[in-house]
Amino acid sequence: MTPTPPNIITSLSSPNDSPTSPTNQENTSQSNLTAARPTSPQPLSARSTTSQNLPRTPKPIVTHVGHSRNQTLLPLETLRSIYLGDLPGRLQDNEQGTLTYDHSRKKYPPIRNISSTEKKRILVTGGAGFVGSHLVDRLMLMGHEVIVLDNFFTGNKRNIEHWLGHPHFELVRHDVVDPFMIEVDQIYHLACPASPPHYQYNPIKTVKTSVMGTINMLGLAKRVKARFLLTSTSEVYGDPQEHPQKETYWGYVNPIGPRACYDEGKRVAETLTYAYAKQDRVDVRVARIFNTFGPRMNENDGRVVSNFIIQALKGEDLTVYGEGDQTRSFQYVHDLVDGLIALMNQPCQDPMNLGNPDEYTILEFAEMIRDSVNRGVRIIKLPSTTDDPQRRRPDIGRAQHYLGWSPKFSVGQGIGETVEYFRKVVRDNDL
Ligand SMILES: O=C(O)[C@H]1O[C@H](OP(=O)(O)OP(=O)(O)OC[C@H]2O[C@@H](n3ccc(=O)[nH]c3=O)[C@H](O)[C@@H]2O)[C@H](O)[C@@H](O)[C@@H]1O
């Protein structure tokens, strides 16, 4: 057990009492392999969650993302200038609070010029969301044509506004629960609320989005013969009884608990994906994404990284749910995007964990954020949430073997980058 520092206190109100609702409430849309295994699973009875025992791999500071071998290499600065820089052409009308544009001043980020045979038409569902918008940036910068579908339930037009009007870019307001037809070569299917308060806000809608949305996108992939990538989640492992989690683990999910709408929704989405692959020969890829953080997380997202950073920046208490000895392994969003693009463009169809195996207890993580952002804030303990997974860490042997991928960003560097982004958000929006 991690010793409790003196400025950690316990509070009585539960996070379940006042769930964070999405700000936009319109809510009508939305082989077994023989890969190298880096570590052996530990029996839960012998587990320890003290920071000294948790695995960490030291990593050098990252200056470039992507890989030269698949022409995705890019200076990190190019991406930072998109989400940290001021957009040329955007004029704020302070009195009415509306945004206006001077299109003559608008400049687009520089994209690669690729041949028409290399250029693909790529559909990204949920492309205005946190992960989706970073994926869109990378695909656009690579020189592809990108079509974004989003219902803006948790996504935000501002995340992709720098591409509006670009000849390679299209934005469609559409809910994936309704069918959609378009000619494309690849489909990255991300659309679904992902943070626990958001996906539990309207559980029926979350299940519909996962199930009907995935059927619609698989149907489209079948018709136009597009390659289809499902973004699944480590939540398919539930509250795992095996640690770390390998893709061969079937999971431990409560089918009627508050998380089931997301966990079971994604499990059915995986079932559908492999049914279409087997029955209709759809060319599929499945990513199981572990906890991911970075710029463009919604400030009302409710997940731990954005909560702690915003709380520390605003001088508020950091809210730890439960004792804080539950663990998570955090990956920086640019590593995930590298993994998704690598997964889409290689032949292996088996599910692939994408995550950073560096594991932290939530209490230790809170201390890290407090110490790096604002030493003056307290850490308080609130009652734990129902069915909160107690330990989570990906075994990434399969992704290392098939994609030659492993995360490059240390959690520390990612946190530094994310804090810089949220400082700007808090300042610009007067939060
Ligand atoms: O990565 C995954 O596979 C999935 O994990 C997340 O679920 P969860 O790990 O519960 O994400 P958080 O809400 O960020 O919670 C992480 C831990 O921090 C705790 N927490 C969260 C927020 C907070 O303010 N305080 C706090 O202690 C939670 O109880 C939990 O133990 C999200 O549901 C999904 O986006 C994602 O698919």
Side-chain angles (χ1 to χ4, degrees):
M1 225 17 167
T2 311
T4 305
N7 60 342
I8 296 180
I9 61 169
T10 303
S11 155
L12 292 176
S13 65
S14 161
N16 288 335
D17 294 343
S18 54
T20 314
S21 302
T23 41
N24 176 350
Q25 299 194 351
E26 54 193 308
N27 193 23
T28 51
S29 63
Q30 266 235 46
S31 65
N32 277 346
L33 303 169
T34 49
R37 189 198 298 165
T39 50
S40 311
Q42 301 156 14
L44 287 192
S45 55
R47 77 192 197 189
S48 164
T49 54
T50 58
S51 51
Q52 294 90 321
N53 293 340
L54 296 177
R56 308 284 157 75
T57 312
K59 296 181 180 68
I61 293 291
V62 175
T63 57
H64 286 72
V65 299
H67 287 285
S68 47
R69 68 166 182 271
N70 60 0
Q71 278 103 42
T72 58
L73 193 69
L74 197 68
L76 177 59
E77 211 39 59
T78 305
L79 298 175
R80 287 168 51 88
S81 66
I82 297 177
Y83 50 75
L84 290 176
D86 288 321
L87 288 170
R90 189 207 263 185
L91 306 168
Q92 181 98 36
D93 180 343
N94 285 329
E95 264 173 37
Q96 288 153 16
T98 52
L99 279 176
T100 50
Y101 277 90
D102 174 357
H103 284 282
S104 62
R105 290 178 56 220
K106 183 153 186 174
K107 288 195 200 95
Y108 294 104
I111 62 163
R112 283 183 70 221
N113 196 6
I114 55 175
S115 67
S116 53
T117 48
E118 284 176 287
K119 192 183 291 173
K120 292 191 164 50
R121 277 173 66 75
I122 304 176
L123 179 65
V124 181
T125 74
F130 156 54
V131 173
S133 62
H134 286 284
L135 176 63
V136 167
D137 285 347
R138 297 284 283 282
L139 297 172
M140 285 292 295
L141 293 168
M142 286 165 73
H144 297 297
E145 287 182 19
V146 178
I147 302 104
V148 166
L149 283 197
D150 209 296
N151 68 353
F152 304 119
F153 176 51
T154 54
N156 194 325
K157 226 180 260 181
R158 289 203 176 171
N159 290 340
I160 34 92
E161 67 179 318
H162 45 284
W163 297 115
L164 291 175
H166 192 287
H168 287 185
F169 181 79
E170 285 170 62
L171 172 64
V172 184
R173 186 187 191 110
H174 180 85
D175 190 321
V176 290
V177 301
D178 296 319
F180 185 77
M181 259 309 288
I182 193 167
E183 287 287 332
V184 286
D185 305 305
Q186 295 183 338
I187 301 170
Y188 288 89
H189 180 41
L190 280 73
C192 190
S195 91
H198 289 182
Y199 68 62
Q200 290 173 30
Y201 171 71
N202 185 343
I204 297 170
K205 178 69 188 186
T206 300
V207 177
K208 277 186 178 172
T209 301
S210 262
V211 177
M212 292 160 68
T214 304
I215 290 175
N216 285 331
M217 291 305 121
L218 281 162
L220 173 63
K222 175 186 163 185
R223 260 188 242 142
V224 303
K225 298 194 173 11
R227 187 173 285 182
F228 174 88
L229 186 150
L230 172 72
T231 54
S232 184
T233 168
S234 65
E235 296 232 17
V236 298
Y237 301 124
D239 186 6
Q241 305 294 292
E242 184 181 301
H243 191 79
Q245 293 80 52
K246 289 195 299 179
E247 292 88 345
T248 46
Y249 178 51
W250 290 356
Y252 188 72
V253 174
N254 173 359
I256 56 169
R259 303 177 83 98
C261 56
Y262 187 68
D263 301 11
E264 299 287 21
K266 288 288 188 180
R267 286 166 70 97
V268 174
E270 288 198 13
T271 307
L272 285 163
T273 301
Y274 288 107
Y276 271 78
K278 199 163 177 214
Q279 198 173 320
D280 291 328
R281 306 250 168 268
V282 176
D283 189 12
V284 303
R285 308 288 181 270
V286 172
R288 291 187 181 149
I289 301 173
F290 283 65
N291 295 66
T292 304
F293 70 96
R296 297 204 191 118
M297 290 183 91
N298 188 322
E299 58 267 24
N300 300 309
D301 180 277
R303 275 177 285 193
V304 72
V305 179
S306 48
N307 272 12
F308 284 176
I309 292 177
I310 290 173
Q311 286 162 345
L313 286 171
K314 291 165 76 177
E316 296 171 355
D317 298 337
L318 308 197
T319 53
V320 167
Y321 302 159
E323 288 305 307
D325 53 2
Q326 70 272 37
T327 71
R328 292 295 186 273
S329 306
F330 296 103
Q331 100 180 301
Y332 191 51
V333 66
H334 297 323
D335 279 330
L336 170 62
V337 171
D338 278 342
L340 291 174
I341 294 172
L343 176 61
M344 176 65 104
N345 295 294
Q346 59 75 56
C348 179
Q349 296 200 321
D350 296 302
M352 203 84 65
N353 287 343
L354 294 177
N356 183 342
D358 289 359
E359 185 181 354
Y360 291 79
T361 68
I362 293 302
L363 183 57
E364 180 195 3
F365 192 67
E367 290 164 349
M368 191 175 130
I369 301 286
R370 177 198 59 194
D371 294 347
S372 61
V373 181
N374 184 350
R375 293 191 134 268
V377 295
R378 296 178 312 170
I379 295 172
I380 62 164
K381 290 183 180 173
L382 300 180
S384 54
T385 58
T386 309
D387 294 340
D388 197 5
Q390 290 307 294
R391 284 198 87 179
R392 192 185 276 163
R393 168 159 52 105
D395 180 320
I396 58 166
R398 194 179 277 183
Q400 287 173 322
H401 179 84
Y402 284 93
L403 314 183
W405 173 93
S406 54
K408 293 192 290 196
F409 282 85
S410 66
V411 173
Q413 183 179 357
I415 291 295
E417 298 269 326
T418 310
V419 169
E420 192 176 343
Y421 170 79
F422 276 119
R423 250 186 234 290
K424 186 171 153 53
V425 170
V426 169
R427 195 184 53 230
D428 291 356
N429 298 297
D430 213 11
L431 294 179

